[in-house]
Amino acid sequence: MSKIYETEVAGRKLSLEFGKVAGLANGSVLVRYGDTVVITAATASDKPRDGIDFFPLSIDYEEKMYAVGKIPGGFTRREGRPSENAILTARVIDRPMRPLFPKDLRNDVSIVSTVLSVEQDNAPEFCAMIGSSAAVCVSDIPFNGPIAAVYVGLVDGEFVINPTEAQREVSEMNLTVAGSAKKVVMIEAGANEVPEDKMFAAIMFAHEEIKKLCAFIQKIQDEIGKPKFEYEHMVVDEQLFNDIRAYAEDMVKEAMDTDDKTIRDARLAVVYDNVYEYFNEQYPVEEYQLQIDEALYKLQKTVVRNWLMYDKKRVDGRGILELRPLSAEVGLLPRAHGSGLFSRGQTQVLTVATLGPLGEAKIIDGLDNEEYRRYLHHYNFPSYSVGETRPSRGPGRREIGHGALAERALVPVIPSESEFPYAIRLVSEVLSSNGSTSQGSVCGSTLALMDAGVPIKAPVAGISVGLITDPDDEDNFLTMVDIQGVEDFFGDMDFKVAGTKKGITAIQMDLKIDGLTPAIIRTALEQTKNARCYILDEVMLKAIAKPREELSPYAPKIINMTVPVDKIREVIGSGGKVIQGIIAETGAKIDIEDDGSVYIAAVDTEMGEKARRMIEAIVKEPEVGEIYEGKVVRIMDFGAFVELLPGKDGLIHISKLAKGRVEKVTDVVKEGDIVKVEVIEIDDKGRINLRRLEN
C-alpha cells in the first residue's frame, strides 16, 4: 500500500510516494515535482566490507533520454557512461550526505536516482537530492539526517528558490545549498561576480527553505521510517590507541613538523615501521595492522588539530592567514595558443589554452535544453603529481568535478560570442599536488586566457579555507587560509571560493562534520576575498597585467561576416559542393549559422581573406558591365557556359565568342579553359549573358 506526502516548494507541488516502487530496496521513493519524476532507491549490504578503513558509499544519478522524449545518439542507441552533468549531480548529492552517516560504518551503501520524466522548469537534480535524503531516512540504514537541498537564483535583485528555466537564463547566480534543520552542510555556486554579503544572504535564504523541507522529511520518517539496523562498529581499541600514542606521539610530531610533503611522508613511513616492530609481540601486524594504521591516522589527526586549535600552529610554520609561497608565469609553451603556470607551495598547475572555430564547440546530448558549449575546461591529475606510480585511466569523478568547478569560476568573465567568436578549451595539468589544486587551476587558467589574448572581463583567482571545530562547542572554531593536503585530510572543511575583485564567481564546499554555522560561513567568505585579492595584485597581475593585444601566430584568425539568409543555400551549394570547394582551396574552416552569420577560421590570414572574398563573390549579384575570369564548364552547339562564381554560371552565345563569325564553339574554347568575359545582360529570369573578351 503506497503512501503519498505532499508539500509546496517555490509555489509548485512536491510529492513523495513511498511503497509504490522498488520494494526490495532498503528504502525507496518516487518523487514528483510538476511533471518531473525521479525514483530513488537506497540499499545496504548485510555485512561490512573486509579490510577497508573508509565508508563505502556510492551515489549514482542516472539520466534516461526517454525522460525528454529523445532517442540516445551513438551506434548502440542506448545510454552509455554517465554524462558530465550526471557525475556532477552525484557529487553534489554525495557531499552533504556522506558526513551524516556514522563514521565507523563499513557496510556498502548505494543510492541510485533515476530520472524518468523531465519538465525543464522543475530540475530533476532537485528531486534526486530530496529523494536521496528521504529514501535513506525511511530505510533501516543508519543516517543522521534528514537533510534537504534547494537551488537559489538572483533575478532582478531578488532571491528565487528553484528558479524556472526562464529565470535561470537571466539569474546572476546558480547556488545550490544543502543542509540539516540546524546547519548548512553543502554549498556549490556559480555566480556573476556576486559580492560576499549578497552570497551570504542567499545561503541563509536557502537554509530557511531547507528547514521546512527537513521538517517535512522528518515527519515522514517519524510515521513510516524503519528502525535503523545494528552494525559492526569499526572503532580503534582504546587501549591500543593509548599505547601507540604514548610510544609514538613525539615521533609523529617531529615527522609532521615540515613544509615539505615528501619529507613528511618519508618520516612517517619510518614511524609506521617503528610502531609495527615495537608492538609486534603485543599487537602482531598480521592481525592488527588495520587497527594500528587507524590508530596512527587518528594520532596524526589529533596532533594536527591540537596544533591548530590550541597552539595556532600550522605544520609548515605559517600563520593562520598566511599563504604559501606563490609564483606565476605565462608563455611557457611556444606553440600553444596560451599557457600559464601557477604555483602555491608544493601545488603546481599548468593550464594550456586552445582557440578554435565555433564549429568545434561541444555538442551537448543531455536532458536540458543546452545544445552546445563553446568554453570547456578539463582537469588532469596524473599519479606523479602526488609521487605515486600508477597508470593513467582517464578522468574520474574527481577530475570531472574539479574541471567543472574551474570552468564555472571563469564562465562569467569569458567574452561573448559576438565579442570573441572562438571556441575555447582550457586544460589544467596538475604537475604537483599538496592541496587545493582546483583553485590552482583557476589561477593558471586566468593566466593562460590572458596569455592567449582572450579579452576576459576581469582576472579570476581562487583560494580555499580550512576549518577546525571543537566538538563540544560549535562557537569555538578556527579557520585557516590556503590549506595544504594534511590540513585538508585532518580538518573539517575545504571551502573553495573563486572570484574577481568585484565578487564571487564560484564556490564549492567539502565538509566532514554535520554542518556549518552562519559565523563560520561568513568568516570563510571574508577570508577568501582578502586572499584572492592579494593573489591577483601581488602575483598574477605582475606576471601579465592584461590580455595580450595579439593572438598567437599559431592560433586561427576568425573573420566574421554576414550573408543574406536567402543566399545561404548558394554558399553551401548542392550537397555542400560549393563550401567544400572553398575549404579545399583555402584550407580555412567555415561555419555558417542559420541567421546568415559566417565565421571563417584560418591560421594563414591571407587564406582566410581569400575565403571571405570567395563567399562575398557568391552572394554578390553580378551587374551588367562587370568583368570576370571564369572556367568554361559546358559546351553546347549554341554557346559555352562559364562559371563566374561557385554555383553561378553565365552563357557566352556563339555570336559573342569572337569578333568574326564562329562556325563551331570548340573552334574558340574548350571545357576547362579560363576565359575573360563581360556581363552584357541579365534577363528577367536571372539568366546571365556574357561576351568573351580578347586577351
Side-chain angles (χ1 to χ4, degrees), residues 117-321:
S117 175
V118 175
E119 178 187 4
Q120 296 299 338
D121 281 345
N122 300 311
E125 296 87 349
F126 165 73
C127 297
M129 289 188 288
I130 297 299
S132 297
S133 175
V136 175
C137 282
V138 301
S139 77
D140 59 348
I141 302 170
F143 181 64
N144 298 318
I147 64 163
V150 293
Y151 294 111
V152 180
L154 179 58
V155 181
D156 296 329
E158 300 293 329
F159 296 133
V160 180
I161 295 291
N162 288 3
T164 63
E165 184 178 34
Q167 289 172 327
R168 290 195 294 269
E169 289 179 359
V170 298
S171 177
E172 293 294 306
M173 70 165 63
N174 180 14
L175 171 66
T176 308
V177 181
S180 64
K182 295 182 179 180
K183 297 178 180 179
V184 172
V185 185
M186 192 277 300
I187 303 168
E188 182 151 315
N192 188 14
E193 299 182 276
V194 171
E196 277 70 14
D197 57 347
K198 181 72 76 173
M199 183 63 73
F200 176 78
I203 294 167
M204 294 299 102
F205 181 77
H207 195 222
E208 291 304 311
E209 191 70 27
I210 287 168
K211 291 176 184 177
K212 300 174 189 175
L213 284 167
C214 285
F216 172 63
I217 297 173
Q218 185 64 59
K219 177 177 179 293
I220 297 171
Q221 181 178 350
D222 291 343
E223 290 187 13
I224 64 172
K226 302 174 185 177
K228 302 302 182 182
F229 65 68
E230 291 295 324
Y231 64 94
E232 186 177 334
H233 294 271
M234 298 295 178
V235 295
V236 177
D237 180 82
E238 186 175 354
Q239 184 60 49
L240 181 147
F241 175 74
N242 289 336
D243 289 344
I244 290 177
R245 182 173 188 173
Y247 170 74
E249 184 169 13
D250 288 342
M251 288 189 288
V252 168
K253 287 180 179 180
E254 183 178 351
M256 301 196 72
D257 195 6
T258 175
D259 62 352
D260 191 313
K261 179 179 182 291
T262 305
I263 294 174
R264 184 184 309 118
D265 290 346
R267 289 175 177 175
L268 285 171
V270 174
V271 173
Y272 274 71
D273 289 341
N274 289 341
V275 170
Y276 294 152
E277 182 179 352
Y278 184 82
F279 287 101
N280 197 41
E281 288 189 11
Q282 185 178 359
Y283 304 114
V285 174
E286 294 79 6
E287 181 181 352
Y288 286 93
Q289 181 170 355
L290 200 62
Q291 286 267 344
I292 294 171
D293 289 351
E294 185 69 22
L296 283 169
Y297 176 87
K298 182 178 177 181
L299 180 56
Q300 293 171 60
K301 184 174 182 177
T302 301
V303 167
V304 171
R305 292 176 69 88
N306 286 345
W307 275 349
L308 286 165
M309 179 64 81
Y310 304 114
D311 300 336
K312 304 298 184 286
K313 168 185 168 61
R314 303 179 75 166
V315 294
D316 56 6
R318 281 184 291 147
I320 297 301
L321 302 181

Side-chain angles (χ1 to χ4, degrees), residues 36-190:
T36 295
V37 183
V38 175
I39 181 174
T40 300
T43 54
S45 61
D46 294 332
K47 297 180 180 179
R49 195 194 298 183
D50 291 332
I52 61 170
D53 59 356
F54 61 91
F55 169 43
L57 171 67
S58 66
I59 293 183
D60 292 290
Y61 175 81
E62 298 180 337
E63 297 175 319
K64 301 298 183 181
M65 297 303 287
Y66 56 68
V68 289
K70 292 181 182 179
I71 295 174
F75 180 76
T76 62
R77 290 294 188 269
R78 68 177 299 163
E79 290 83 4
R81 66 183 297 254
S83 70
E84 184 176 295
N85 180 69
I87 290 171
L88 297 175
T89 301
R91 283 171 56 85
V92 166
I93 298 171
D94 184 297
R95 289 207 303 277
M97 294 196 69
R98 186 177 292 271
L100 299 184
F101 286 95
K103 295 187 184 305
D104 61 343
L105 181 63
R106 297 294 181 264
N107 299 56
D108 284 278
V109 174
S110 173
I111 303 171
V112 180
S113 295
T114 305
V115 182
L116 306 178
S117 175
V118 175
E119 178 187 4
Q120 296 299 338
D121 281 345
N122 300 311
E125 296 87 349
F126 165 73
C127 297
M129 289 188 288
I130 297 299
S132 297
S133 175
V136 175
C137 282
V138 301
S139 77
D140 59 348
I141 302 170
F143 181 64
N144 298 318
I147 64 163
V150 293
Y151 294 111
V152 180
L154 179 58
V155 181
D156 296 329
E158 300 293 329
F159 296 133
V160 180
I161 295 291
N162 288 3
T164 63
E165 184 178 34
Q167 289 172 327
R168 290 195 294 269
E169 289 179 359
V170 298
S171 177
E172 293 294 306
M173 70 165 63
N174 180 14
L175 171 66
T176 308
V177 181
S180 64
K182 295 182 179 180
K183 297 178 180 179
V184 172
V185 185
M186 192 277 300
I187 303 168
E188 182 151 315

Side-chain angles (χ1 to χ4, degrees), residues 638-689:
F638 54 81
F641 285 93
V642 176
E643 185 182 55
L644 304 177
L645 303 165
K648 194 166 301 228
D649 297 346
L651 171 66
I652 312 174
H653 190 267
I654 192 171
S655 64
K656 304 296 183 183
L657 276 171
K659 290 183 178 179
R661 179 179 174 80
V662 177
E663 294 293 335
K664 291 175 63 178
V665 174
T666 53
D667 289 342
V668 181
V669 294
K670 299 183 296 296
E671 282 193 19
D673 286 351
I674 303 298
V675 296
K676 194 173 188 179
V677 296
E678 179 185 2
V679 178
I680 58 174
E681 181 189 19
I682 301 174
D683 66 19
D684 56 1
K685 293 183 178 180
R687 292 177 295 195
I688 303 170
N689 292 315

Side-chain angles (χ1 to χ4, degrees), residues 16 33 53 79 157 181 189 198 287 294 312 344 396 416 437 476 503 558 571 574 609 638-639 654:
L16 274 60
Y33 191 40
D53 59 356
E79 290 83 4
K198 181 72 76 173
E287 181 181 352
E294 185 69 22
K312 304 298 184 286
R344 182 190 290 125
S416 67
T437 55
N476 184 21
I558 303 292
V571 176
S574 176
E609 288 294 335
F638 54 81
I654 192 171

